[in-house]
Amino acid sequence: MKTLVYIILGIVLLVIEAVISPHISLDVLKPELGMPIVLYVTFFLGARSGLAAAVCIGLVEESLSGAPGGSLLFTTMFIYLIAMAMRRKFFVDSKYSFAYLSSASVVVQSLLFLALTFFARGEARGALNILFYTIPNAIVTGFASILLFSLIEQLNETFLERN
């Protein structure tokens, strides 16, 4: 039940981001809102739930973006695999450690996307654009993940933990 609620929350956030982002003139204010959902579900609900969230969020990101086919799904699945490997080694004890994790995942996702476009096309056109926006997007995603973590914790306390 929790997994489904978090996946729906992630999809709603991605759709809202896709609707609002063309109207924002500053490109650095576009956080990656799907990745914190995948990380939260993977770290707190387990491998199966994380896989379901990664596939759903990756497919929604694919459908909402103009990126080469399969690239965002691949990077989301790769981040999921990294999160699964780190799950027992990295302890998320607060919204701030979750923000660090979310920011780092955006940097890794950007570098993976850059590597995919380089290997697929054999050229690095657009690489400077990706590298230029990586750190600002990671910082904004970190701040957004703090709010998202607080929202999810509030959802847990209010609705999902009732007996």
Side-chain angles (χ1 to χ4, degrees):
M1 178 67 180
K2 281 185 180 182
T3 305
L4 183 61
V5 170
Y6 297 145
I7 290 172
I8 291 171
L9 175 66
I11 291 170
V12 167
L13 288 173
L14 288 172
V15 169
I16 289 171
E17 180 183 13
V19 168
I20 292 175
S21 65
H23 303 294
I24 297 175
S25 62
L26 297 174
D27 289 334
V28 296
L29 295 178
K30 295 180 182 176
E32 167 64 51
L33 295 177
M35 199 55 61
I37 297 291
V38 171
L39 292 172
Y40 187 90
V41 171
T42 302
F43 270 84
F44 292 105
L45 297 181
R48 289 183 183 160
S49 298
L51 179 62
V55 169
C56 291
I57 296 296
L59 288 173
V60 170
E61 284 179 340
E62 276 298 322
S63 65
L64 293 174
S65 77
S71 59
L72 291 175
L73 179 62
F74 175 78
T75 57
T76 304
M77 293 304 296
F78 201 84
I79 296 295
Y80 160 74
L81 292 173
I82 292 172
M84 280 306 304
M86 291 179 53
R87 191 169 161 228
R88 302 281 184 226
K89 294 171 181 54
F90 186 79
F91 185 67
V92 178
D93 59 343
S94 70
K95 57 187 170 186
Y96 303 110
S97 60
F98 184 70
Y100 294 137
L101 183 68
S102 297
S103 293
S105 71
V106 169
V107 171
V108 171
Q109 184 184 30
S110 296
L111 294 176
L112 280 170
F113 186 77
L114 182 63
L116 274 176
T117 55
F118 177 73
F119 290 129
R121 295 182 186 160
E123 60 186 32
R125 185 176 42 176
L128 289 176
N129 192 27
I130 292 171
L131 291 174
F132 181 75
Y133 289 115
T134 297
I135 299 300
N137 285 342
I139 292 169
V140 172
T141 299
F143 285 121
S145 67
I146 290 173
L147 298 173
L148 190 59
F149 189 87
S150 299
L151 173 69
I152 290 173
E153 291 298 313
Q154 185 67 30
L155 278 173
N156 285 337
E157 291 174 9
T158 307
F159 299 110
L160 300 176
E161 295 295 329
R162 290 184 179 174
N163 291 330

